[in-house]
Amino acid sequence: MFERFSSGYYLGKLYVEPHDGDRAVIRRADHERVNEQLYATGEGVERLDAPLVMKLDRSHIPVAGDDDVPTGTLAVPQELADDDLPAARSVLLADADRAADILRWEGYEPATNA
């Protein structure tokens, strides 16, 4: 779904569409798989539901998992959607370190591993 693009990002192509929710979401199974492959350290019990951080156009957005979204689709709140959606778009996915920094800047603090 994503391949290494730079030292801080992976690049992928997703179908991006607006939705009525208040947060950006992708299919829960895709979210967990990406979380496990790119964000997990392999040490102890780790959360697979922490937000992914994607960059769409100029905005970094936290992305959660949702069972109602088709695989390969990023559903964004109406206020983040532009007139060109729905459409296939290139999307950047922040790597674990960059995502943690961005989420901290936004005030999100993940729970400590048990």
Side-chain angles (χ1 to χ4, degrees), residues 6 15 39 44 47 57-58 63 72 74 76 87 92 95-97 102-103 110:
S6 68
Y15 185 75
Y39 289 8
R47 294 183 64 180
D57 299 325
R58 296 182 189 179
V63 179
L74 171 62
V76 298
L92 292 172
D95 69 12
D97 292 334
I102 292 167
L103 290 171

Side-chain angles (χ1 to χ4, degrees), residues 7-95:
S7 62
Y9 291 96
Y10 294 86
L11 177 65
K13 196 157 199 100
L14 295 173
Y15 185 75
V16 181
E17 65 183 20
H19 78 116
D20 293 329
D22 60 349
R23 60 187 178 161
V25 292
I26 63 172
R27 179 135 191 107
R28 187 174 318 278
D30 293 342
H31 182 276
E32 290 175 359
R33 186 177 68 248
V34 170
N35 228 313
E36 184 174 29
Q37 290 175 350
L38 302 182
Y39 289 8
T41 64
E43 299 174 11
V45 177
E46 297 183 289
R47 294 183 64 180
L48 297 180
D49 63 342
L52 302 174
V53 175
M54 293 187 184
K55 186 173 183 184
L56 180 64
D57 299 325
R58 296 182 189 179
S59 299
H60 284 93
I61 51 176
V63 179
D66 188 310
D67 290 327
D68 294 331
V69 179
T71 194
T73 299
L74 171 62
V76 298
Q78 294 285 350
E79 64 266 13
L80 296 177
D82 59 30
D83 294 337
D84 295 339
L85 296 181
R89 291 272 186 88
S90 293
V91 176
L92 292 172
L93 171 67
D95 69 12

